[in-house]
Amino acid sequence: MREAVNLNMISMVYRMAGGLSRGVFPPQCLVCGEAGAGGRDLCRACAGDLPWQGAACLRCALPLSAGDVGQVCGFCRQQRPVLEQVHAAFLYASPVDGLLRRFKFHRDLPAGRLLAGLMAERLSGVARPQALLPVPLHRARLRQRGYDQARELARPLARALGIPLCDGLRRTRATLPQSELDADQRRRNLRAAFLARPGLPAHVTLLDDVMTTGTTLQAAALALRRAGVTRVDAWVCARVP
């Protein structure tokens, strides 16, 4: 319990420091260092370079051709995933990829706040769930990193969209980093890695930072389905094409 309290305090201190700095200093672009625009830590030029996700598969967010808005890719038509809908705000490309790496691995929480705000704008028109669930880290990884990047994205996003934030999912065992594994290894690595508590709402949305093959989200969604959730969606900051 003491460990969880300490981690929450660290996260709270980061958020308070970020709020104080925004009140004292003018916005500064986190990509190039120029003056920010529109009250954000992003200049107009870098905002114009953002790789927004365009037409994409409704089931897995895989990019599709421009005329295929609202369609489903061939793979998802053949084998329907446990996720009902997946929405990505961005493609995993510059400058978003750099911001995500800084946020995830270098404690750059201002980059996370910027990305969460941009996600809120992009996802404001999609179907709202009854609860937003960040994909959790295992407690060993949480101790090592000091904060959960998915939760740090989910908190301001839930607040901006008026969606309850829920901690109904737990990572039951430490797994290898997915980025080091191939597709088959990823599936084996995450087998029975999540446990969902009973009594969750019928419609929930998982929140994660990056989607590559979707194996992590699929494993988490399967745990939620087994716990009685009837519809599971997923929102991610960036989708790897």
Side-chain angles (χ1 to χ4, degrees):
M1 178 65 71
R2 180 180 299 172
E3 176 183 289
V5 170
N6 289 340
L7 290 170
N8 287 335
M9 288 179 64
I10 291 170
S11 179
M12 182 178 69
V13 169
Y14 272 116
R15 293 196 302 276
M16 290 176 64
L20 181 61
S21 66
R22 288 194 299 275
V24 175
F25 302 104
Q28 184 179 28
C29 182
L30 296 178
V31 178
C32 70
E34 295 294 328
R40 281 208 188 99
D41 291 326
L42 191 69
C43 70
R44 287 188 175 86
C46 290
D49 291 335
L50 291 173
W52 296 104
Q53 171 79 292
C57 174
L58 278 176
R59 305 288 187 198
C60 70
L62 187 72
L64 301 175
S65 60
D68 290 332
V69 176
Q71 300 300 310
V72 176
C73 72
F75 178 82
C76 290
R77 282 197 297 268
Q78 293 174 9
Q79 186 175 357
R80 180 166 175 163
V82 292
L83 289 162
E84 185 70 23
Q85 291 189 8
V86 179
H87 297 280
F90 301 102
L91 294 173
Y92 190 73
S94 180
V96 168
D97 55 355
L99 289 170
L100 279 168
R101 285 192 295 269
R102 286 162 47 184
F103 168 52
K104 187 170 183 175
F105 300 115
H106 302 289
R107 297 177 180 260
D108 192 343
L109 296 190
R113 286 193 298 270
L114 172 63
L115 291 168
L118 294 169
M119 288 178 69
E121 284 190 9
R122 191 65 165 183
L123 298 171
S124 62
V126 305
R128 300 289 177 90
Q130 294 169 281
L132 192 63
L133 276 72
V135 175
L137 292 176
H138 186 266
R139 60 181 178 272
R141 188 70 56 80
L142 185 58
R143 279 197 303 269
Q144 179 186 33
R145 188 168 294 168
Y147 62 99
D148 186 329
Q149 75 277 358
R151 184 169 182 81
E152 293 301 320
L153 281 176
R155 185 182 287 110
L157 183 61
R159 185 167 56 247
L161 299 181
I163 303 170
L165 190 64
C166 181
D167 289 320
L169 193 63
R170 181 166 61 91
R171 206 154 189 153
T172 57
R173 60 183 179 84
T175 55
L176 295 172
Q178 288 288 90
S179 58
E180 300 175 3
L181 307 175
D182 61 29
D184 288 336
Q185 290 171 330
R186 285 172 185 246
R187 285 189 288 271
R188 290 195 297 270
N189 187 44
L190 286 168
R191 192 169 294 149
F194 294 99
L195 182 66
R197 66 171 174 80
L200 290 169
H203 178 195
V204 304
T205 290
L206 291 163
L207 191 286
D208 210 357
D209 54 345
V210 178
M211 179 178 181
T212 304
T213 63
T215 307
T216 300
L217 290 167
Q218 294 285 343
L222 185 58
L224 291 167
R225 293 278 197 176
R226 287 171 173 165
V229 178
T230 57
R231 173 171 171 172
V232 185
D233 297 340
W235 296 347
V236 297
C237 183
R239 175 64 154 98
V240 176

